[in-house]
Amino acid sequence: MAEVDGKATFRYVSSLRAERNCLECHGQPAGEKDVTGFKKEGMQLGDLAGAVSISLPMEAIEREEEQDFIATVVFFCALMVALTAVLGWGLRRWVTHPVMSENKELRREAESQSNFLTIVTHELKTPLSAILAFSDLLKKPQRDAGQTIEIANEIEGNANELLSMINNVLDTAKFEEGSMALHEDDVDVCDVVAVVRAAAAAVVVPGTPIVRADREMLRRISMNLVGNALQHTESGDSVVLRMSYARGSLVIEVEDTGCGIEAERLPGIFDRFSSGRDAARSGEGGTGLGLFIVRNYAEAVGGSVHVESEIGRGSAFSVLLPLQPVEGEGGL
């Protein structure tokens, strides 16, 4: 540090030594002219050739350091802002949003479960109450054979309805656990449609072959489709079950002339609890699992489900199941 012209100055002085590339012009022999025409000084390698001196006003150095400091502070502030923004976005994207979405899903699931339990409790009471009431009638004397048969039929019908609800709940649990297993057998679809003829008209299109399938799966699909149709029909309406075979698939169709389904409900009609929630508001009944089970059974064998409906004109459900006909068996 020195003072030059009254100003604080930083001075740097360093000696200059003769290096090998310097000797061509400044080396020996002394007095000999170099390539530029100047006389050589006769220096040897390492001789002191001079000095270099650099003087920098401290004012300029301090101003430069101040600017560097400000630039460094601005850079790190911008870097911290950028990092904070990236971290905030990342936390929202990968932590906060998934957690909030999961919480919303859990709340929806809890609400659905609560609604489902309410609906199931209410629906199970109906056939149970009927069974108890008709059982009580059986205990009373002075009854003819016709009345006894009628009461027994009512008890059987309500017991079957109760069993169907319980089976739907159990099947739903199996599908969600991934433990549903299908057992293939040679199935005559005429035997399957026979179980619904008491509740709906049933038709097997000529040429429908015996297929290799799970008999219980076909029965449950048929029963749930017919049961859903009956919930949306009144006295005087019709429900028809039709089975046919086309292009390598067994086609199960159920058509009704009931009240129909709103267009906004159709995309989610096969979801779990869908019809159950609507039933709770409309008083139609049902646990909201029937169509959910139909779709899962169909998808389990690589099939598909479809629905068309119009308010006031009824609904048409169809299920396509890619099932192989039994070899050597002709059509019906």
Side-chain angles (χ1 to χ4, degrees), residues 7-263:
K7 295 182 179 180
T9 304
F10 172 77
R11 296 192 63 190
Y12 174 79
V13 180
S14 178
S15 61
L16 292 177
R17 299 287 178 176
E19 298 179 355
R20 191 175 301 280
N21 58 350
C22 300
L23 298 180
E24 183 177 354
C25 296
H26 302 281
Q28 295 182 3
E32 182 179 295
K33 291 185 178 181
D34 60 17
V35 293
T36 63
F38 291 93
K39 294 181 180 181
K40 297 181 180 180
E41 290 87 349
M43 294 183 183
Q44 295 183 2
L45 187 66
D47 286 351
L48 181 64
V52 59
S53 175
I54 301 174
S55 297
L56 297 174
M58 287 302 299
E59 181 181 351
I61 295 176
E62 291 172 352
R63 184 168 56 250
E64 184 178 354
E65 288 182 348
E66 182 180 355
Q67 292 174 349
D68 289 344
F69 175 76
I70 293 174
T72 302
V73 170
V74 171
F75 170 76
F76 278 104
C77 287
L79 181 62
M80 291 301 297
V81 171
L83 288 175
T84 302
V86 171
L87 287 174
W89 178 83
L91 286 173
R92 287 193 301 270
R93 176 67 176 81
W94 291 299
V95 179
T96 307
H97 180 70
V99 169
M100 292 179 64
S101 299
E102 185 67 22
N103 286 339
K104 290 180 181 178
E105 184 63 28
L106 289 174
R107 283 196 295 269
R108 285 195 295 268
E109 184 71 16
E111 182 182 354
S112 295
Q113 294 286 0
S114 178
N115 291 339
F116 170 67
L117 290 174
T118 302
I119 294 167
V120 168
T121 302
H122 172 74
E123 294 300 323
L124 291 180
K125 284 181 179 179
T126 302
L128 278 174
S129 299
I131 291 173
L132 292 173
F134 284 113
S135 298
D136 188 57
L137 287 176
L138 284 177
K139 299 177 183 179
K140 296 181 179 181
Q142 299 177 348
R143 214 179 32 257
D144 57 33
Q147 289 176 326
T148 301
I149 294 175
E150 182 179 353
I151 292 174
N153 289 335
E154 291 288 346
I155 292 175
E156 182 182 12
N158 282 280
N160 286 329
E161 181 181 353
L162 182 61
L163 180 61
S164 178
M165 292 181 185
I166 294 173
N167 285 334
N168 281 346
V169 175
L170 293 176
D171 283 353
T172 299
K174 290 179 180 179
F175 278 123
E176 292 184 340
E177 293 174 357
S179 60
M180 176 61 74
L182 301 180
H183 305 283
E184 290 188 346
D185 195 4
D186 295 347
V187 181
D188 187 341
V189 295
C190 288
D191 297 335
V192 176
V193 300
V195 299
V196 301
R197 281 200 170 101
V203 177
V204 177
V205 176
T208 304
I210 294 175
V211 293
R212 189 72 179 171
D214 186 295
R215 186 183 304 273
E216 181 63 14
M217 174 190 72
L218 298 181
R219 188 185 73 83
R220 298 299 307 286
I221 289 176
S222 302
M223 291 294 293
N224 280 320
L225 286 177
V226 170
N228 176 75
L230 291 174
Q231 289 177 12
H232 295 83
T233 55
E234 298 178 355
S235 178
D237 292 327
S238 64
V239 176
V240 178
L241 168 69
R242 182 184 298 104
M243 285 196 182
S244 60
Y245 195 86
R247 295 184 293 277
S249 293
L250 179 68
V251 183
I252 304 176
E253 300 170 289
V254 172
E255 297 182 4
D256 66 71
T257 59
C259 61
I261 304 170
E262 296 87 347

